[in-house]
Amino acid sequence: VFCRGCGHTIQCPRCDLPLTWHSGASKLVCHTCGYTRGLPKKCPQCGSTRIKQFGTGTEKVESELQEIFPQARLLRWDADSASGKGTEEVIMAHFRQHNADILIGTQMLAKGLDLPLVTLVGVVLADAGLNFPDYRTAERAFQLLTQVAGRAGRSALGGQVIVQTFQPEHYAIRHAARHDFEGFYDEEINHRRELRYPPFTRLVRFETRALKNDEARDAAQAVYTKLKRLIDAGGDKSTEVNPPMPPYFARRAGYYRWQLILKGSDPLKLIRDEDFGD
């Protein structure tokens, strides 16, 4: 949800993350800490009334599909529609009995569902997770796409998968489209080897939290200084530590966060008997 006048994004006051609009509940929700609020009538930054919801969530996909296929019976499975106890089983029972023509859902639809009547699977924004600062993003994207592709063609009816992406050249998407496990493994393992990521090294992540950003940063810097001293004293050139940086979600539930990564063949050996405080 953002202001079309100045571009300001409506964010969670405790996490500094964009809030998500849930039209069914008519409220903005933080998917990290659970904070909720109503939709503002005016932009808190410039005062404009041009507040707009923008995105491709399941509710948006549902409304678009209903417009394109007005005769189709739609069923949605996401955190809102399947929040109560036993609702997931009810939704799946309805779909298996063909009480709906199209099932719309989040990543939870990818795993372990046996739906013999499904002959077409569509993936919207298949590259959404590829830009996170995590060395496992390509592996997770490949796993998800191959899993969701397995929902189609599980009977003699056959099946087809259509993937929408802005990065069709990315190796995770290319190999998933061909169901090429070995090809993906070869590229991924080479990247891991070149960048010294697992399984060629082990990682230890340190995180500091405080209500004030300076306190969290200073605590992380103290840990970094100590780790550098331990590495220099041990003389192990295969072990290294990155300088403190805010994580992808720099603030969560009111707490500022800083992190640093210790990397090496056996980083636990370096810190096993050390005390890093509270």
Side-chain angles (χ1 to χ4, degrees):
V1 175
F2 71 100
C3 172
R4 287 179 290 172
C6 69
H8 176 72
T9 302
I10 310 301
Q11 295 186 326
C12 173
R14 297 187 292 185
C15 299
D16 291 340
L17 295 172
L19 295 172
T20 302
W21 173 248
H22 290 244
S23 60
S26 297
K27 62 184 179 182
L28 289 162
V29 179
C30 175
H31 286 180
T32 299
C33 73
Y35 169 84
T36 63
R37 61 158 292 172
L39 190 69
K41 294 182 179 179
K42 293 184 178 181
C43 172
Q45 183 160 292
C46 73
S48 170
T49 57
R50 300 173 66 201
I51 305 294
K52 181 178 176 63
Q53 303 91 32
F54 176 80
T56 53
T58 50
E59 293 180 357
K60 178 70 171 178
V61 174
E62 182 181 32
S63 64
E64 292 285 340
L65 282 171
Q66 195 67 80
E67 189 172 325
I68 297 169
F69 305 109
Q71 304 304 319
R73 299 167 299 169
L74 307 183
L75 199 58
R76 181 163 51 87
W77 184 8
D78 55 20
D80 290 336
S81 60
S83 58
K85 186 177 180 180
T87 53
E88 295 180 1
E89 289 79 5
V90 172
I91 291 172
M92 291 312 303
H94 276 294
F95 193 61
R96 285 195 180 98
Q97 294 165 13
H98 201 191
N99 294 324
D101 304 303
I102 301 173
L103 178 62
I104 306 154
T106 53
Q107 296 181 10
M108 63 180 72
L109 290 183
K111 301 177 181 179
L113 301 178
D114 186 16
L115 304 169
L117 293 179
V118 172
T119 56
L120 175 65
V121 169
V123 182
V124 180
L125 283 178
D127 44 27
L130 286 175
N131 298 316
F132 282 93
D134 188 316
Y135 73 92
R136 296 163 293 185
T137 52
E139 179 183 1
R140 288 170 174 167
F142 178 82
Q143 287 175 338
L144 185 65
L145 288 173
T146 52
Q147 285 169 344
V148 75
R151 299 313 105 211
R154 295 176 67 87
S155 71
L157 298 173
Q160 183 180 9
V161 180
I162 297 176
V163 175
Q164 182 264 317
T165 173
F166 291 101
Q167 301 181 60
E169 73 287 348
H170 194 284
Y171 68 96
I173 293 176
R174 281 192 289 105
H175 290 299
R178 297 196 295 264
H179 225 63
D180 181 8
F181 287 83
E182 289 188 8
F184 173 76
Y185 173 82
D186 289 341
E187 286 205 49
E188 178 67 10
I189 205 68
N190 285 333
H191 289 314
R192 300 275 185 99
R193 184 183 293 107
E194 291 170 4
L195 298 172
R196 296 189 66 236
Y197 280 129
F200 302 101
T201 58
R202 294 185 177 183
L203 307 179
V204 177
R205 177 175 173 270
F206 293 82
E207 181 181 299
T208 60
R209 300 185 181 192
L211 292 173
K212 294 182 179 179
N213 189 42
D214 289 349
E215 293 179 3
R217 183 194 59 212
D218 292 347
Q221 184 62 43
V223 174
Y224 174 72
T225 301
K226 181 170 184 176
L227 288 173
K228 285 287 288 182
R229 188 170 63 249
L230 290 171
I231 292 171
D232 292 340
D236 183 2
K237 295 182 178 180
S238 68
T239 303
E240 59 185 89
V241 59
N242 296 334
M245 293 288 291
Y248 189 79
F249 300 121
R251 192 171 177 229
R252 176 173 287 178
Y255 284 85
Y256 290 94
R257 308 192 303 159
W258 283 71
Q259 69 174 17
L260 51 155
I261 306 295
L262 181 65
K263 181 190 296 186
S265 57
D266 189 8
L268 286 178
K269 182 180 179 181
L270 183 73
I271 63 175
R272 186 170 286 118
D273 299 322
E274 298 296 329
D275 182 11
F276 289 89
D278 295 331

